[in-house]
Amino acid sequence: MKAVVIGAGLAGSEAAYYLARQGVKVTLYEMKPKRFSPAHESENFCELVCSNSLKSDDVYGNASGLLKEEMRRMGSLTLEAADRCRVPAGGALAVDRDAFSSYVTKKLRAEENIAVVTEEVAALPEEGIVATGPLTDGKLYAAIEERFGRGLHFYDASAPIVSRESVDFSKTFTADRYGKGDGDYINCPMNKEEYETFVQELVAAEKATMHSFEKGEIFEGCMPVEVMASRGKDTLRFGTFKPVGLFDGNGERPYAVLQLRKENGEGSSLGLVGCQTNLKFSEQKRVFSLIPALKAAQFERYGVMHRNTFLESPEILNADFSVKSVPMLFFAGQMTGVEGYMESAMSGLLAAVHYLRKLKNLPPVTLGDTCVSGALSQYVATQNKNFQPMNANYGILRQVEVRDKKERKRIYAERALEEIGRFVSAIGG
């Protein structure tokens, strides 16, 4: 048996690895390092271009954490890599981004059933899994557009990273919100005057000129910090910069707090949590340096904004990620309308599972809306006039009538893991 997988991001890596481990001879096409998208810079597969956080790892308290456990039980390569390459981040699963990508790359290149072809694919195949990501462009994008109609766009942004040695630690304190975790976040407090000055300058700062992208919307989950700030002076203080659950060395709660999180294992690089931005680089340095602890900060990477593309999936895809009009052609990743690292990886894993069953002429095995993986799969295939990218969340699950929130989440988790257990048994482990 043979299969083609196009793209070695999170979704493509999951798909290629699953198929190869099932005995399929996989040809994995990846254009790097011959060509890089505007958001990529590493030659490795599975590159994380925005945050190094994969969000919550709380199985019984957060839908994102539940999705991760579902994927672990399905044998996810990216979760294996994340667990091996994690860095402290309280209740979140964050990784050393370089180690993470390197781990996945080594796994794929060492797999005897995977042949990597460094080439940009220009034509849409009739069979295989397309996982070229939200920045798909050029001839392949034109081929997708010609086959399925105009794609949709929204804009995504990443946050700046500063060097640890340039942070003034005399003006920080270490703590996790509500005491959860082991003090993995470095908190940069601001008083009322400092915060209001920061917000005023942030809103007034000069933005980077957008390229000649077509019109698109900004995805709420990656809203640039300056856009959030423009909604009102206290918007950040009740969101990204909220001081709730944080107390300094004197036991006092600051007026506002910017948090820093490790970007690598040794903690020499620190990411500005929730500070995705599209400001000009010089303006990023000027404005973020207004925060006392970052007055002399050295920026290792500035935040950027780029276009993301996704399909009108309810019109095009089935819940198994196959194309309605081309049964052996599958799409995976953010192109399908799932939003987030793990959501993308999940779609690649499930696309591969379903592709293999079709390849073997086996009956389909579906996941329902009692687990996050199944609910997201159904979301991308369900008619929706205002179709937009979707993260893991409890709202897409089949609801239960239990008033106690903690108990309700426990039920969701137990029910989901039972469903995943049945699925794994049905597909043969």
Side-chain angles (χ1 to χ4, degrees):
M1 293 181 294
K2 296 180 180 180
V4 168
V5 176
I6 306 174
L10 284 97
S13 294
E14 286 280 11
Y17 189 70
Y18 177 82
L19 291 171
R21 298 282 285 181
Q22 297 298 318
V24 179
K25 296 292 184 181
V26 179
T27 302
L28 176 60
Y29 288 91
E30 170 55 50
M31 68 180 188
K32 296 192 303 182
K34 282 188 177 179
R35 179 172 176 246
F36 290 83
S37 81
H40 293 83
E41 55 185 38
S42 169
E43 293 188 5
N44 282 332
F45 305 151
C46 222
E47 182 181 357
L48 304 182
V49 299
C50 296
S51 169
N52 72 319
S53 173
L54 309 182
K55 300 183 182 177
S56 175
D57 205 26
D58 183 355
V59 178
Y60 291 92
N62 189 286
S64 183
L66 178 55
L67 173 63
K68 292 179 183 62
E69 185 59 24
E70 293 176 10
M71 293 173 64
R72 286 188 182 98
R73 297 190 182 198
M74 289 189 284
S76 164
L77 171 62
T78 55
L79 257 299
E80 177 186 319
D83 288 333
R84 295 286 184 92
C85 304
R86 69 165 66 217
V87 297
L93 174 56
V95 301
D96 180 318
R97 66 176 72 230
D98 292 331
F100 172 81
S101 297
S102 179
Y103 184 95
V104 174
T105 303
K106 287 176 182 177
K107 278 277 189 177
L108 294 179
R109 289 196 178 279
E111 177 54 57
E112 63 180 8
N113 283 333
I114 296 177
V116 178
V117 178
T118 305
E119 183 179 303
E120 186 175 358
V121 175
L124 192 63
E126 293 297 309
E127 291 190 15
I129 299 174
V130 179
T132 47
L135 289 176
T136 299
D137 63 2
K139 292 181 179 178
L140 182 59
Y141 177 83
I144 293 171
E145 187 176 45
E146 182 180 356
R147 175 69 74 95
F148 302 117
R150 184 181 176 82
L152 301 176
H153 308 125
F154 66 94
Y155 290 96
D156 200 356
S158 59
I161 297 172
V162 298
S163 67
R164 182 186 182 89
E165 63 182 12
S166 69
V167 175
D168 185 348
F169 284 94
S170 69
K171 296 176 181 175
T172 70
F173 64 95
T174 303
D176 297 319
R177 209 176 296 279
Y178 301 111
K180 295 182 179 179
D182 300 313
D184 302 321
Y185 286 87
I186 298 166
N187 299 282
C188 306
M190 288 173 274
N191 60 31
K192 186 174 187 291
E193 181 181 355
E194 290 163 345
Y195 171 78
E196 290 184 348
T197 298
F198 171 78
V199 170
Q200 179 181 324
E201 293 302 312
L202 181 64
V203 173
E206 191 174 359
K207 280 86 175 164
T209 303
M210 298 300 289
H211 298 288
S212 57
F213 294 145
E214 296 173 56
K215 291 182 179 179
E217 298 181 10
I218 296 172
F219 179 58
E220 288 285 334
C222 288
M223 183 68 63
V225 66
E226 62 271 13
V227 176
M228 292 175 62
S230 69
R231 295 177 173 180
K233 70 176 183 179
D234 288 321
T235 302
L236 293 181
R237 209 165 66 83
F238 287 97
T240 302
F241 286 43
K242 66 182 178 185
V244 178
L246 293 170
F247 299 92
D248 62 20
N250 299 318
E252 308 232 341
R253 192 173 82 178
Y255 188 77
V257 172
L258 178 144
Q259 292 189 304
L260 304 176
R261 178 180 58 224
K262 289 181 180 180
E263 287 284 331
N264 53 18
E266 56 271 26
S268 59
S269 299
L270 301 171
L272 280 62
V273 177
C275 290
Q276 299 91 345
T277 181
N278 188 45
L279 297 183
K280 284 190 170 182
F281 290 176
S282 59
E283 290 287 73
Q284 290 183 43
K285 182 171 180 61
R286 179 182 71 81
V287 174
F288 288 113
S289 295
L290 293 171
I291 298 169
L294 301 181
K295 185 176 181 180
Q298 296 297 313
F299 287 74
E300 295 183 343
R301 187 192 77 183
Y302 289 103
V304 295
M305 180 175 278
H306 52 84
R307 187 194 75 186
N308 275 357
T309 299
F310 61 97
L311 301 169
E312 187 67 67
S313 292
E315 303 292 330
I316 299 167
L317 301 180
N318 297 306
D320 64 356
F321 298 99
S322 66
V323 174
K324 293 177 181 179
S325 59
V326 192
M328 288 304 294
L329 178 60
F330 287 66
F331 280 86
Q334 285 187 210
M335 290 185 77
T336 66
V338 296
E339 168 59 27
Y341 289 143
M342 289 296 95
E343 291 86 343
S344 295
M346 175 278 299
S347 71
L349 179 55
L350 288 186
V353 170
H354 297 308
Y355 181 86
L356 180 61
R357 293 192 73 80
K358 282 191 175 183
L359 201 60
K360 290 182 172 182
N361 292 314
L362 294 173
V365 177
T366 57
L367 279 170
D369 61 356
T370 57
C371 64
V372 182
S373 302
L376 282 167
S377 301
Q378 292 190 8
Y379 172 79
V380 302
T382 301
Q383 291 300 316
N384 186 337
K385 285 193 212 174
N386 300 304
F387 182 67
Q388 289 291 314
M390 181 65 71
N391 294 103
N393 67 88
Y394 290 122
I396 59 176
L397 294 174
R398 188 186 306 169
Q399 300 296 292
V400 295
E401 298 300 323
V402 176
R403 297 191 68 179
D404 182 77
K405 185 183 292 186
K406 189 173 182 180
E407 175 65 9
R408 187 164 65 247
K409 290 178 178 180
R410 183 191 66 79
I411 293 172
Y412 283 147
E414 291 182 351
R415 186 181 66 175
L417 297 181
E418 286 179 9
E419 173 78 357
I420 291 296
R422 287 192 292 269
F423 181 74
V424 170
S425 294
I427 64 174

